[in-house]
Amino acid sequence: MGYKHLKFPENSVFLVTGGAGFIGSNFVFHMLKTYPDYRIICLDKLTYAGNLANLKDVEDKPNYKFVKMDICDFEAFYQLMQDEKIDGIIHLAAESHVDRSIKDPFTFAKTNVMGTLALLQAAKLYWESTEEKYEGKLFYHISTDEVFGALKMDGTMFTEETKYNPHSPYSASKASSDHFVRAFHDTYGMPTIVTNCSNNYGPYQFPEKLIPLFINNIRHRKPLPVYGKGENVRDWLYVEDHARAI
């Protein structure tokens, strides 16, 4: 489902879901700096992980707009697609904390699965109603490598050929959303890309995540909590490198 030679005309409109979050805000910065001819619409529900202060430096840019919205609100999102004439969706909005998913799997299923499905259906209906239909359109879904299960101790990495093997409610919900995105590509011909990144780190990361949590605890001489028995292996990706890759 890659679109290696896909090009977008000037004044294309891109919507970034979860744009006030950690990866989202870094991606918005990158887009505004690198592609000044594109309009960037940042959509976020502003839950615990979304922070408008992350985007204070760009809030006055003429090609930037913020919209507060829940991705599960299909009607509102469909209207936004029509009002703003969205050409591309970069879908980053998600519940993403494993421990939270263990305590509250319903919220993860609602946001990650039903929210993604709402976006897909709204995009499908709007793009199919336009003259160009899917020409110059793209649904880019950012997922996680946790859908593939746990990395082995020998450092073997996941690839596009790795089988899905989620182990937590979080990774199960992301795996399901991946399958819906691929289903819309195969069933309706929607142009989609799914990428499965490893753990990100960098500026504006929510403080309960591992690296900022450890740094903060070290500064305040608090214990360093390790998940399980400390035997989990994780690959790390700097968030600005991830933004450029997208």
Side-chain angles (χ1 to χ4, degrees):
M1 289 182 294
Y3 295 87
K4 199 173 188 180
H5 305 293
L6 182 64
K7 297 193 181 202
F8 297 94
E10 292 183 4
N11 301 317
S12 292
V13 182
F14 289 90
L15 184 137
V16 183
T17 71
F22 165 46
I23 301 176
S25 57
N26 279 280
F27 180 71
V28 168
F29 293 148
H30 177 73
M31 288 293 285
L32 290 171
K33 178 181 177 180
T34 311
Y35 302 101
D37 293 329
Y38 294 157
R39 285 188 61 226
I40 306 299
I41 298 174
C42 171
L43 183 149
D44 205 291
K45 187 180 177 182
L46 296 180
T47 58
Y48 67 92
N51 186 356
L52 273 182
N54 294 351
L55 297 158
K56 188 167 183 58
D57 290 345
V58 300
E59 62 185 9
D60 294 326
K61 286 190 173 290
N63 61 330
Y64 168 80
K65 179 178 181 178
F66 174 77
V67 175
K68 183 178 180 181
M69 185 180 293
D70 185 344
I71 61 170
C72 294
D73 190 339
F74 168 79
E75 295 295 341
F77 187 78
Y78 183 39
Q79 188 62 54
L80 181 68
M81 290 285 299
Q82 299 171 79
D83 293 343
E84 300 291 347
K85 298 179 171 52
I86 306 297
D87 297 300
I89 297 171
I90 297 89
H91 180 31
L92 281 153
E95 293 283 349
S96 63
H97 197 274
V98 174
D99 290 345
R100 286 176 182 265
S101 78
I102 293 170
K103 294 177 181 177
D104 182 15
F106 284 100
T107 295
F108 279 69
K110 180 181 177 183
T111 299
N112 296 351
V113 183
M114 297 306 296
T116 299
L117 182 56
L119 301 183
L120 287 164
Q121 182 68 357
K124 171 187 176 294
L125 292 177
Y126 170 63
W127 288 339
E128 288 186 345
S129 71
T130 63
E131 184 176 348
E132 62 271 21
K133 297 193 182 297
Y134 289 134
E135 184 69 28
K137 305 293 188 286
L138 182 64
F139 191 103
Y140 192 123
H141 177 64
I142 289 85
S143 186
T144 171
D145 65 353
E146 292 192 41
V147 300
F148 303 126
L151 282 170
K152 296 180 181 179
M153 293 297 288
D154 63 7
T156 302
M157 305 301 296
F158 299 126
T159 73
E160 289 84 353
E161 304 302 319
T162 305
K163 292 183 180 180
Y164 274 57
N165 188 27
H167 292 306
S168 69
Y170 161 58
S171 57
S173 67
K174 291 297 288 184
S176 180
S177 67
D178 293 2
H179 295 328
F180 268 110
V181 175
R182 291 189 172 96
F184 268 67
H185 173 271
D186 294 345
T187 304
Y188 307 112
M190 180 184 289
T192 65
I193 292 177
V194 177
T195 53
N196 301 86
C197 68
S198 58
N199 289 262
N200 282 219
Y201 71 97
Y204 307 109
Q205 188 164 23
F206 191 65
E208 73 178 13
K209 296 293 186 174
L210 182 68
I211 290 179
L213 176 65
F214 268 42
I215 291 171
N216 193 52
N217 282 15
I218 289 169
R219 289 177 62 231
H220 293 92
R221 299 184 179 276
K222 293 181 178 180
L224 306 182
V226 177
Y227 181 76
K229 296 181 180 180
E231 297 176 349
N232 299 76
V233 179
R234 286 288 177 263
D235 182 43
W236 294 91
L237 173 63
Y238 185 53
V239 66
E240 291 181 9
D241 292 336
H242 188 197
R244 284 194 294 272
I246 297 171

